[in-house]
């Protein structure tokens, strides 16, 4: 990763203490406009966030993105599930690992890389 073009928005430091990290994947996120604007303001919390694989797609749950203060009526739901964008072979690898006993998908970091919101 090019560190100079990386803007870290939030980090789940406690996850590195609570879990043993086996592998790290970078995924894009499908977000609404107000969610992206709130991310740019740094209004995100990864404390209770986790991901699940459903029907061959990966979703992150309990990732709190605060409401955008300037979008009064058209604001997003703060805790809605967000789809992660990964390659099929990465999803298949993750699916095999998660089905083993003791493995979970935990978001570690949210950041902008070249203007796109990413999650590891």
């Amino acid at each position: 990763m090019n560190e100079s073009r990386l803007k870290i928005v939030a980090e789940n430091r406690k996850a590195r203490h609570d879990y043993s990290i086996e592998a790290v994947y970078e995924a894009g996120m499908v977000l609404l406009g107000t969610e992206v604007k709130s991310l740019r303001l740094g209004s995100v919390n990864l404390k209770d966030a986790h991901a699940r694989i459903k029907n061959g797609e990966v979703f992150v749950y309990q990732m709190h993105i605060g409401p955008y203060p300037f979008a009064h009526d058209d604001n997003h739901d703060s805790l809605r599930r967000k789809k992660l964008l990964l390659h099929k072979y990465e999803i298949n690898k993750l699916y095999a690992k998660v089905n083993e006993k003791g493995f979970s998908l935990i978001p570690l970091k949210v950041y902008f890389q070249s203007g796109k919101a990413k999650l590891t």
Side-chain angles (χ1 to χ4, degrees), residues 44-78:
V44 63
N45 187 349
L46 295 174
K47 183 180 162 203
D48 297 324
H50 63 281
R52 289 191 209 138
I53 300 172
K54 253 187 164 175
N55 300 326
E57 297 179 324
V58 183
F59 295 95
V60 66
Y61 295 86
Q62 298 300 312
M63 183 171 94
H64 182 272
I65 298 177
Y68 184 60
F70 305 108
H72 303 289
D73 294 335
D74 296 331
N75 239 323
H76 59 273
D77 176 19
S78 297

Side-chain angles (χ1 to χ4, degrees), residues 9 17 32 42 50 74 84 88 99 107:
V9 178
H17 180 267
L32 300 174
H50 63 281
D74 296 331
L84 300 181
K88 197 65 164 175
N99 284 334

Side-chain angles (χ1 to χ4, degrees), residues 4-49:
S4 64
R5 302 187 75 187
L6 198 71
K7 181 185 178 250
I8 296 174
V9 178
E11 201 166 354
N12 188 353
R13 290 188 189 101
K14 193 173 181 197
R16 295 203 181 268
H17 180 267
D18 292 345
Y19 300 97
S20 173
I21 309 299
E22 292 284 323
V24 177
Y25 290 87
E26 179 181 71
M29 294 184 286
V30 178
L31 299 172
L32 300 174
T34 54
E35 289 175 322
V36 175
K37 290 178 179 188
S38 288
L39 277 180
R40 291 195 186 281
L41 293 176
S43 180
V44 63
N45 187 349
L46 295 174
K47 183 180 162 203
D48 297 324

